[in-house]
């Protein structure tokens, strides 16, 4: 049985069984049965201790009941797995488990959920839940939930990890006239999860927008793959709660400390083309614009308003977004002049003035949308006694339809403007009380258009010495904390990243010999797995003259001893000193997220990286375009491009280094965390000066 069949059975079944049907007042089994009253197909109650339930014939089990393609299970926790097993035996394709008492309770419940998953998987059942409010679809009037009412029909598909959220949103949406295609309360996601639904809804032309409220995406990488395939066609908007990284981890690298799970979500969702909404309100604001209106062709927004203040608010919101206020061509200005009174403003925002009637609004909007430079428009109306609001709604809808450009409305008011809001809704034009929300929704449409049009960014395949790199990682076997430092610099060489000449030595005499060979002043660094940030304990000396090298050696070792008497001292690295006067210290790092896998970080580096917090993060693999965007994405990018008379850094070399480190992260799962800090970016290339990594010894070799 294919996944598609299971999903079809979930949303558009011919017959639905309610396992645990009962007419007991206040029970979940009864509520589900009552909600199924409007279902177009057959409803089959199942309960061994009843002959009839709510006037319908009741069957003792699925084996003796007529065939169904969807079963809703609301029986006590211990009876759930047998019920799903019976459903599988009876050929039921999709099951929704309402019953709670599974992994959310831990211990025994978690074990029960494991058995549930296995049973469903064995039968090839598409299973939603457990601990789900249920599933609704307006395809066939299906309301297989114990929620309070039916959704209005529409083309928005909605999934939620919180059942309470489903009921609250549906209740609100009805009042707003927002309709749905399918609604899924995900529950514990034992089997069906956000990835399955995004894939299914993305393949369904009757769904215009996928929206979701999620608390976690366990398999971030699978979700990213699925969403990336879908978002060029179907917008996906998510509210992801739990945005603060409460569990600030005791990371042993800068990258690990900076790129926590929130950065991983941010990066992963962005790369997947998913729009993130900051609030539930924004989720539906965006969904309404995306479902009802075409995507804007350009970033320039025209504003038509009958009041100054709201026009200014819209202008500010355009500035806050990545949109621009359209400047009209002379033809548009002439047209506006001919239809507006002399005192009216023919510049954007176009103020049709408080005494405007519907005709003036219509003419102004027509002129604005007719301007070839205008990509979209916002129509704002504060209530006046002159405007007939139903007529205004009709006029806006007609002009929008004639031009085919997206229009959003801010009818600012309540009962008086309601007739306009209703007409606009019918036409798919969303209305927002606040002009700023209207503009933010246009901006969401712009973001979606941009992401949908983004070309694929193939991963690089530089010629590297992977075998040599794997060998170097094996050295970690006897190191405390599974850490490697500058003694493993060859790892970077194996991946084609330049490092300064240098050597790790274990005596003052050997240090001096290396310094003599290198010539000139050198840099000396302690090499000890226990010393994570060498400068913090005075463990880095820059510019040591040959004559002072032996003393410096003793001093550096003494510093480690003072810091931690039993620390392992592997020696001291004597390194060629680089001229940093024209260079910028950057950081390139790797960390692993449990859900999204390897992440790559780029930013302004050096010893203050965590203070500066100027970094960009991406899920690996990072292709060339992604790496370039990472570089452009940091605030300090102008520094690298050569601000204030500095020589510009070799940006292509920086981009290449990022893709090489990305490739290293993909190739070598043993690398858990890695910092190249600094990667010195100069006018003629980049050099990795420092390295720190944490290795999983079980994955080396
Ligand atoms: P840590 O990060 O453990 O303190 P680093 O090796 O990164 O140690 O050195 C700290 C700082 O010293 C670097 O950020 C850089 O400014 C400077 N430095 C390190 N190595 C060199 C070098 N070879 N040439 C010039 N400056 C260096
Ligand atoms: Mg460093």
């Amino acid at each position: 049985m294919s996944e598609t069949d299971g999903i079809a059975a979930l949303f558009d079944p011919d017959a639905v069984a309610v396992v645990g049907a009962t007419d007991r007042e206040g029970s979940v089994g009864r509520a589900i049965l009552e909600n199924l009253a409007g279902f177009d197909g057959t409803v089959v109650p199942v309960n061994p201790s009843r002959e009839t339930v709510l006037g319908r014939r009741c069957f003792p089990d699925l084996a003796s009941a007529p065939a169904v393609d969807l079963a809703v299970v609301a029986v006590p926790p211990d009876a759930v797995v047998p019920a799903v097993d019976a459903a599988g035996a009876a050929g039921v394709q999709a099951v929704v488990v309402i019953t709670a008492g599974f992994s959310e309770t831990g211990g025994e419940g978690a074990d029960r959920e494991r058995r549930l998953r296995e049973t469903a998987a064995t039968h090839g059942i598409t299973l939603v839940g457990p601990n789900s409010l249920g599933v609704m679809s307006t395809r066939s009037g299906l309301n297989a939930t114990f929620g309070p009412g039916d959704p209005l029909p529409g083309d928005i598909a909605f999934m939620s990890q919180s059942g309470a959220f489903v009921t609250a949103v549906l209740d609100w949406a009805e009042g707003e006239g927002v309709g749905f295609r399918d609604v899924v309360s995900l529950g514990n996601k034992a089997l069906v999860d956000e990835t399955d639904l995004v894939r299914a809804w993305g393949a369904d032309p009757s769904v215009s927008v996928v929206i979701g409220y999620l608390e976690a995406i366990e398999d971030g990488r699978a979700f990213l793959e699925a969403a990336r395939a879908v978002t060029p066609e179907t917008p996906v908007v998510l509210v992801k709660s739990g945005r603060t990284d409460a569990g600030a981890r005791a990371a042993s690298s800068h990258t690990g400390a900076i790129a926590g799970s929130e950065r991983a979500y941010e990066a992963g969702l962005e790369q997947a083309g998913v729009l993130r909404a900051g609030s539930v309100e924004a989720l539906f604001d965006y969904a309404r614009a995306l479902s009802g209106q075409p995507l804007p062709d350009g970033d320039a927004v025209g504003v038509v308003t009958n009041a100054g203040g709201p026009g200014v608010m819209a202008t500010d919101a355009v500035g806050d977004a990545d949109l621009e206020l359209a400047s009209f061509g002379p033809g548009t200005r002439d047209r506006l002049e001919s239809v507006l009174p002399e005192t009216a403003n023919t510049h954007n925002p176009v103020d049709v003035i408080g005494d405007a009637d519907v005709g003036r609004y219509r003419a102004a909007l027509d002129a604005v949308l007719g301007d070839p430079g205008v990509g979209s428009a916002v129509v704002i109306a504060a209530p006046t006694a002159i405007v007939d609001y139903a007529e205004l709604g009709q006029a806006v809808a007609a002009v929008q339809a004639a031009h085919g450009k997206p229009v959003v409305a801010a009818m600012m008011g309540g009962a008086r403007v309601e007739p306009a809001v209703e007409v606009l809704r019918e036409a798919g034009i969303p209305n927002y009380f606040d002009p700023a929300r209207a503009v933010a929704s246009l901006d969401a449409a712009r973001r979606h258009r941009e992401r949908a049009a983004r070309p694929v960014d193939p991963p690089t395949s530089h010629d590297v010495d992977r075998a040599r790199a794997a060998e170097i990682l094996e050295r970690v076997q006897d190191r405390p904390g599974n850490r490697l430092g500058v003694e493993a610099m060859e790892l970077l060489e194996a991946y084609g990243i330049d490092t300064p000449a240098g050597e790790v030595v274990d005596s003052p005499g050997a240090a001096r010999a290396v310094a003599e060979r290198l010539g000139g002043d050198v840099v000396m660094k302690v090499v000890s797995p226990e010393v994570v940030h060498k400068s913090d304990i005075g463990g880095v000396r820059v510019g040591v003259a040959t004559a002072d090298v032996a003393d410096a050696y003793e001093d550096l070792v003494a510093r480690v001893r003072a810091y931690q008497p039993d620390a392992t001292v592997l020696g001291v690295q004597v390194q060629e000193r680089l001229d940093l006067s024209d260079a910028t210290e950057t950081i390139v790092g790797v960390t692993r997220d449990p859900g999204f896998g390897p992440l790559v970080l780029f930013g302004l580096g050096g010893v203050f990286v965590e203070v500066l917090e100027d970094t960009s993060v991406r899920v690996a693999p990072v292709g060339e375009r992604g790496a370039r965007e990472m570089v452009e994405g940091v605030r300090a990018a102008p520094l690298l491009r050569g601000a204030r008379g500095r020589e510009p850094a070799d940006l292509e070399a920086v981009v290449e280094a990022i893709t090489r480190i990305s490739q290293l992260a993909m190739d070598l799962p043993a690398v858990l965390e890695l910092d190249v800090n600094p990667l010195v970016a100069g006018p003629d290339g980049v050099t990795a000066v420092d390295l720190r990594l944490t290795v999983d010894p079980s994955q080396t070799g």
Side-chain angles (χ1 to χ4, degrees), residues 228-434:
R228 189 169 17 217
V230 159
T231 48
E233 290 296 328
T234 310
V236 177
V237 192
L238 294 182
V239 168
K240 161 72 184 64
S241 67
R243 298 180 59 167
T244 44
D245 266 323
R249 298 177 299 153
S252 59
S253 66
H254 292 296
T255 306
I258 297 166
S261 70
E262 173 49 31
R263 292 296 296 272
Y265 276 115
E266 196 182 296
L269 296 181
E270 211 282 330
Q271 284 168 258
V274 170
L275 298 178
R276 211 162 162 190
S279 67
V280 179
E281 188 175 60
L283 180 69
F284 282 91
D285 281 358
Y286 302 173
R288 286 189 291 143
L290 288 162
S291 100
Q293 290 295 292
L295 294 178
D297 258 344
D299 296 345
V301 180
V303 180
V304 178
T305 177
N306 67 351
V312 176
M313 285 174 70
T315 305
D316 284 349
V318 165
D320 290 342
D322 273 333
L323 295 167
E324 56 188 78
L325 207 61
S327 41
F328 302 133
T332 308
R333 298 277 307 287
D334 289 347
R335 283 192 62 198
L336 285 169
E337 252 164 50
S338 70
V339 297
L340 297 178
E342 248 170 47
T343 48
N345 183 11
T346 59
H347 288 275
N348 202 9
V350 179
D351 190 344
V352 294
I353 323 190
D355 69 351
D357 60 3
V358 171
R360 202 188 287 166
Y361 258 110
R362 181 189 292 114
L365 182 61
D366 188 46
V368 166
L369 286 181
D371 189 302
V374 169
S376 62
V378 186
V379 179
I380 302 170
T384 68
I386 298 159
V387 172
D388 176 316
Y389 283 88
E391 261 179 45
L392 177 61
Q394 280 150 9
V396 171
V399 178
Q400 188 280 324
H403 290 276
K405 294 179 181 179
V407 171
V408 295
M411 301 288 135
M412 304 179 72
R416 187 173 279 273
V417 301
E418 190 53 32
V421 176
E422 269 166 36
V423 174
L424 290 171
R425 182 185 296 151
E426 285 300 311
I429 297 174
N431 181 64
Y432 309 91
F433 180 87
D434 185 336

Side-chain angles (χ1 to χ4, degrees), residues 466-669:
R466 188 171 168 173
R468 176 93 190 95
E471 250 170 61
I472 295 162
L473 294 181
E474 279 185 50
R475 290 185 201 159
V476 83
Q477 298 295 347
D478 52 357
R479 297 289 163 78
N482 298 322
R483 286 198 202 108
L484 293 174
V486 287
E487 76 278 14
M489 291 291 266
E490 291 159 84
L491 177 70
L492 298 175
E493 293 283 348
Y495 269 76
I497 294 167
D498 285 345
T499 62
E503 215 172 298
V504 178
V505 292
D506 59 2
S507 74
R512 191 183 161 108
V514 175
E516 273 167 3
R517 187 164 53 75
L518 293 175
D521 287 357
V522 293
V523 176
M524 295 175 72
K525 306 176 186 183
V526 291
V527 184
S528 162
E530 278 94 345
V531 180
V532 175
H533 300 297
K534 298 178 287 296
S535 304
D536 287 356
I537 64 153
V540 177
R541 299 272 296 270
V542 178
V544 186
T546 314
D548 303 327
V549 166
D551 285 349
Y553 184 102
E554 303 286 8
D555 171 66
L556 286 168
V557 173
R559 281 173 192 270
V560 182
R561 293 277 170 246
Y563 166 70
Q564 193 176 323
D566 60 349
T568 318
V569 180
L570 299 170
V572 167
Q573 186 195 39
V574 182
Q575 197 179 49
E576 171 197 351
R577 182 188 182 178
L578 300 181
D579 174 10
L580 300 188
S581 52
D582 261 329
T584 307
E585 295 195 26
T586 67
I587 176 172
V588 180
V590 173
T591 183
R592 274 173 210 276
D593 181 77
F596 285 95
L599 308 177
V600 177
L601 170 139
F602 171 78
L604 212 58
V607 290
F608 297 120
V609 55
E610 277 161 70
V611 182
L612 296 170
E613 271 196 47
D614 188 15
T615 56
S616 37
V617 172
R618 293 229 162 189
V619 177
V622 180
E624 234 180 84
R625 191 177 51 80
R628 201 161 283 126
E629 284 170 10
M630 288 179 80
V631 175
E632 292 299 328
V634 297
R635 288 191 303 277
L639 273 183
L640 289 164
R641 284 196 300 263
R644 304 208 154 237
R646 281 165 63 95
E647 266 215 72
D650 183 345
L651 288 181
E652 286 313 303
V654 177
V655 165
E656 185 178 324
I658 294 173
T659 60
R660 285 179 180 275
I661 297 286
S662 159
Q663 204 173 318
L664 182 153
M666 296 302 289
D667 285 352
L668 305 169

Side-chain angles (χ1 to χ4, degrees), residues 673-694:
E673 282 184 12
L674 171 147
D675 275 350
V676 178
N677 182 28
L679 176 84
V680 172
D684 309 304
V686 296
T687 312
V689 159
D690 184 21
L691 173 67
R692 162 186 313 124
L693 65 156
T694 309

